[in-house]
Amino acid sequence: MDAIQKSLLEQVADLHEVPEGAYNIRANGQKAARNTTANIDIVSKEDKDGIDIIIKPGTKNESVHIPVVLSQSGLQETVYNDFFIGEDCDVTIVAGCGIHNCGVQNSEHSGIHTFYVGKNARVRYVERHYGEGDGMGENIMNPTTVVEMDEGSYMEMETTQIKGVDSTVRTTKATLGPRATLIIKEKVMTHGKQLAKSDFTVDLNGEDCHTNVISRSVAREDSKQVFLARINGNAKCHGHSECDAIIMDNGVVAAIPEVTANCVDAELIHEAAIGKIAGEQLIKLMTLGLTEKEAEEQIVNGFLK
Amino acid sequence: MDAIQKSLLEQVADLHEVPEGAYNIRANGQKAARNTTANIDIVSKEDKDGIDIIIKPGTKNESVHIPVVLSQSGLQETVYNDFFIGEDCDVTIVAGCGIHNCGVQNSEHSGIHTFYVGKNARVRYVERHYGEGDGMGENIMNPTTVVEMDEGSYMEMETTQIKGVDSTVRTTKATLGPRATLIIKEKVMTHGKQLAKSDFTVDLNGEDCHTNVISRSVAREDSKQVFLARINGNAKCHGHSECDAIIMDNGVVAAIPEVTANCVDAELIHEAAIGKIAGEQLIKLMTLGLTEKEAEEQIVNGFLK
């Protein structure tokens, strides 16, 4: 891997060296490196681009890193990654995509990730998207995440899109079995003429299952964001969704949650708030010696932390 | 008017006698009674069914009642009522529709009400919908309300659908000028196989305008409700919407708010909560000697008050 690819890796996966545990690094559409462990197998798909990640039942405190970097302008790829997480596992999965595009053509990565989370398994899934490059070509990422959660399983998804992604449609569909819990934390910052759309659908099908979908977003300059969150309570369940957005400059944010109780024992709550940074907050920091710009940065960083 | 019509009038307009002030009573598609005052004129439209209500600038503490009753099964009508409310008025407008349907055909009333609210005028608009009758024919009401609010005007809408309306699509579209305020309070209770859909769109176009859309609903038995509220912040403005719903039996409720900030100085908030009556609340009332059914009634009545 070259210096640009290494720097992208740092941005999306906090990786300076090859990671510990299992990993699969994809660079410019090719397998750049792979490691498997006694409990975690990674197998290339034969019918299409992508990998199967198979985690043995009972695997604890292990991690899988599967970052993707694109530094070749104009590359467009769709990759299918399937995660089979055995019963009683407790694992961390780190995915991410970094694009460096200095050309005039669009670069595009669409990852379709499907998680089969076994009984009583616990998964922490971290996904980070980052783009850079001063070319005219756009950086486009359309991640799809499908989650099927078995009885008593727990999954925490942290997705972050910090910078440089020109266009993204993020689709997440989850189905929860009995006593399953899904926590989704999304952070999106857009700038320039970027467009970001997040589209969540969570079906609360199992008795006593629970979801919490939390979105924090900042839209700067002329960027646009749309946040859709559909929560369907089809059983005795708890569902909560909240969307907090800061708008700056000419940024536009639309929040469209949809909560539907199809069962009398479903409890669903939604909250959304959109607004600019409060003047008092800015003034407080400015009296401490910060410029208006610095004060804004500090507030935005704290908000997205 | 006969006894059935008089009883409908009571339900929708709290009227035992002819009201004071201006009124227009419509019964089975015909003008049953009308009164105008020095400040409030009512004129039948010539090109279609309906009336123009013209309120002189500066009219204070006057009221207009325009109830509609249908006791003839199978009657289907669309009525256009336009309200021209002059500058600096302070008036109360009471509308409502009561249907008594003992036949096998559907009875249907669709009222299209358009309000032109003048500068600094204040309007309280009360609308009540009620249906009854043990026939096989359905009672259908599809009210459309269009509101155009001039600078500094204030309007409070209270709409109530308590009982007996089999199918309703309630559409409200409002456009607010500078410093205008629109408060919407909706109460809906459905039962049986009823379907109720509320669809609000509020465009906050004028500087320092403000809206608050509050919906409280109860869905019992096999009834379904959909609540849509679109608030578009197109200027420096405040928008708030909240939807609280109680579900009982097999009732289904979907809340789909949509808040969009198209201006950096727009502040928009939405909240929605759907759930059944909390067990502790029921138990508390039952320890005071109420049956479960009575306790439920009391809680529902309090919620919709």
Side-chain angles (χ1 to χ4, degrees):
Chain A
M1 286 205 297
D2 59 26
I4 286 176
Q5 293 180 353
K6 278 189 181 155
S7 137
L8 288 174
L9 259 192
E10 251 189 78
Q11 288 288 346
V12 301
D14 271 333
L15 292 179
H16 305 269
E17 306 291 330
V18 291
E20 287 194 36
Y23 60 84
N24 187 87
I25 302 173
R26 183 181 173 96
N28 289 336
Q30 304 291 329
K31 182 175 85 175
R34 177 178 296 173
N35 188 48
T36 61
T37 69
N39 294 320
I40 302 178
D41 202 9
I42 300 176
V43 183
S44 295
K45 283 191 186 293
E46 287 178 4
D47 54 337
K48 51 192 170 187
D49 252 347
I51 49 177
D52 286 341
I53 297 99
I54 302 137
I55 306 179
K56 272 193 195 158
T59 303
K60 307 253 184 207
N61 302 320
E62 291 203 34
S63 67
V64 193
H65 284 77
I66 54 156
V68 171
V69 293
L70 267 73
S71 56
Q72 177 191 330
S73 177
L75 196 73
Q76 304 194 355
E77 57 176 13
T78 302
V79 176
Y80 297 82
N81 297 334
D82 292 340
F83 301 80
F84 301 90
I85 299 141
E87 293 185 13
D88 298 313
C89 282
D90 188 348
V91 293
T92 298
I93 298 167
V94 182
C97 178
I99 299 182
H100 178 94
N101 187 353
C102 279
V104 293
Q105 294 179 71
N106 293 346
S107 294
E108 186 171 338
H109 175 81
S110 296
I112 292 140
H113 288 186
T114 306
F115 293 84
Y116 302 95
V117 187
K119 265 192 199 168
N120 301 316
R122 289 179 72 87
V123 181
R124 179 163 172 251
Y125 175 57
V126 181
E127 188 188 80
R128 217 182 285 186
H129 286 170
Y130 171 78
E132 60 179 29
D134 46 11
M136 294 292 292
E138 296 203 331
N139 299 328
I140 302 170
M141 298 186 196
N142 295 321
T144 300
T145 309
V146 178
V147 181
E148 291 188 13
M149 300 186 67
D150 211 334
E151 222 178 305
S153 63
Y154 176 94
M155 183 160 171
E156 204 175 306
M157 272 178 72
E158 294 170 30
T159 64
T160 311
Q161 176 186 313
I162 289 297
K163 228 183 133 176
V165 180
D166 294 299
S167 173
T168 186
V169 178
R170 315 167 52 79
T171 309
T172 304
K173 285 181 208 289
T175 313
L176 274 66
R179 291 175 294 102
T181 298
L182 176 64
I183 312 293
I184 298 176
K185 293 177 188 168
E186 182 194 55
K187 291 175 203 168
V188 180
M189 182 151 77
T190 51
H191 53 96
K193 292 188 181 308
Q194 297 177 351
L195 173 71
K197 185 175 163 188
S198 291
D199 190 338
F200 295 97
T201 306
V202 182
D203 278 301
L204 300 170
N205 291 347
E207 191 158 305
D208 290 319
C209 68
H210 166 228
T211 195
N212 196 0
V213 180
I214 301 161
S215 164
R216 295 205 148 197
S217 64
V218 178
R220 325 180 91 140
E221 297 167 5
D222 298 304
S223 65
K224 285 195 182 164
Q225 294 189 20
V226 181
F227 171 79
L228 295 140
R230 251 168 253 101
I231 299 183
N232 301 313
N234 304 321
K236 177 169 180 284
C237 63
H238 291 270
H240 180 261
S241 116
E242 77 185 59
C243 168
D244 281 304
I246 290 179
I247 42 176
M248 297 166 80
D249 313 312
N250 298 310
V252 170
V253 172
I256 314 171
E258 189 174 330
V259 284
T260 305
N262 292 313
C263 170
V264 73
D265 293 312
E267 264 188 34
L268 304 175
I269 293 175
H270 169 71
E271 302 160 77
I274 307 175
K276 65 173 178 177
I277 296 170
E280 313 91 70
Q281 270 188 291
L282 283 177
I283 288 162
K284 207 184 289 171
L285 289 174
M286 285 162 74
T287 55
L288 297 174
L290 273 62
T291 65
E292 189 175 344
K293 202 111 197 108
E294 288 166 344
E296 273 186 5
E297 279 315 305
Q298 194 131 96
I299 291 166
V300 166
N301 289 342
F303 180 72
L304 290 177
K305 187 140 263 175
Chain B
M1 288 206 295
D2 59 23
I4 286 175
Q5 293 179 351
K6 279 191 182 155
S7 138
L8 288 175
L9 259 193
E10 250 190 79
Q11 288 288 346
V12 300
D14 273 333
L15 293 179
H16 305 269
E17 305 291 328
V18 290
E20 287 194 37
Y23 60 84
N24 187 86
I25 302 174
R26 185 181 171 96
N28 289 336
Q30 304 291 329
K31 181 176 86 173
R34 176 177 297 172
N35 188 48
T36 60
T37 70
N39 295 318
I40 304 178
D41 202 11
I42 300 177
V43 184
S44 296
K45 281 189 187 296
E46 288 179 3
D47 55 337
K48 51 192 170 186
D49 253 346
I51 48 178
D52 286 341
I53 297 98
I54 302 137
I55 307 180
K56 271 194 197 160
T59 303
K60 307 251 183 208
N61 302 319
E62 292 204 31
S63 67
V64 193
H65 284 77
I66 53 157
V68 172
V69 294
L70 268 73
S71 58
Q72 176 190 334
S73 177
L75 196 71
Q76 304 193 357
E77 57 176 12
T78 303
V79 176
Y80 297 82
N81 297 334
D82 293 339
F83 302 79
F84 300 89
I85 299 141
E87 292 186 16
D88 298 311
C89 282
D90 187 349
V91 293
T92 298
I93 298 168
V94 181
C97 178
I99 299 182
H100 178 96
N101 187 352
C102 278
V104 293
Q105 295 177 71
N106 294 347
S107 294
E108 185 172 339
H109 175 81
S110 296
I112 292 141
H113 287 187
T114 305
F115 294 84
Y116 302 94
V117 186
K119 266 191 201 170
N120 301 317
R122 290 181 70 88
V123 181
R124 180 164 171 252
Y125 175 57
V126 181
E127 188 189 81
R128 217 183 284 186
H129 286 170
Y130 170 78
E132 60 178 31
D134 46 11
M136 295 291 291
E138 297 201 331
N139 298 329
I140 302 170
M141 297 186 198
N142 295 321
T144 300
T145 309
V146 178
V147 181
E148 291 188 14
M149 299 185 69
D150 211 334
E151 223 178 306
S153 63
Y154 176 94
M155 181 159 170
E156 204 176 305
M157 272 179 70
E158 294 171 29
T159 65
T160 311
Q161 178 185 313
I162 288 299
K163 230 184 132 178
V165 180
D166 294 299
S167 172
T168 186
V169 178
R170 312 167 56 78
T171 307
T172 304
K173 283 181 210 288
T175 312
L176 274 65
R179 291 174 295 104
T181 298
L182 176 64
I183 311 292
I184 299 176
K185 295 179 188 166
E186 182 194 57
K187 294 176 201 166
V188 179
M189 183 151 79
T190 52
H191 53 96
K193 292 188 182 306
Q194 296 175 352
L195 173 71
K197 184 175 163 188
S198 291
D199 190 338
F200 295 98
T201 306
V202 181
D203 277 300
L204 300 170
N205 292 349
E207 192 158 304
D208 290 318
C209 67
H210 166 228
T211 194
N212 195 0
V213 180
I214 301 163
S215 164
R216 296 206 147 196
S217 63
V218 177
R220 326 180 89 141
E221 297 167 6
D222 299 304
S223 65
K224 284 192 184 166
Q225 294 188 20
V226 180
F227 171 80
L228 295 139
R230 250 169 254 102
I231 299 182
N232 301 314
N234 304 321
K236 177 167 179 285
C237 62
H238 291 269
H240 180 261
S241 116
E242 77 185 60
C243 168
D244 281 305
I246 289 179
I247 43 177
M248 298 168 79
D249 315 311
N250 299 310
V252 170
V253 172
I256 314 173
E258 188 175 331
V259 283
T260 304
N262 292 314
C263 170
V264 73
D265 293 312
E267 264 188 33
L268 305 175
I269 293 176
H270 168 71
E271 302 159 77
I274 307 174
K276 64 173 179 178
I277 296 170
E280 314 89 72
Q281 269 188 291
L282 283 176
I283 288 161
K284 205 184 290 171
L285 288 174
M286 285 160 74
T287 55
L288 297 173
L290 273 63
T291 66
E292 190 175 344
K293 202 111 197 108
E294 288 165 345
E296 273 186 3
E297 279 315 305
Q298 195 131 99
I299 292 165
V300 166
N301 288 343
F303 179 72
L304 290 178
K305 188 140 262 172

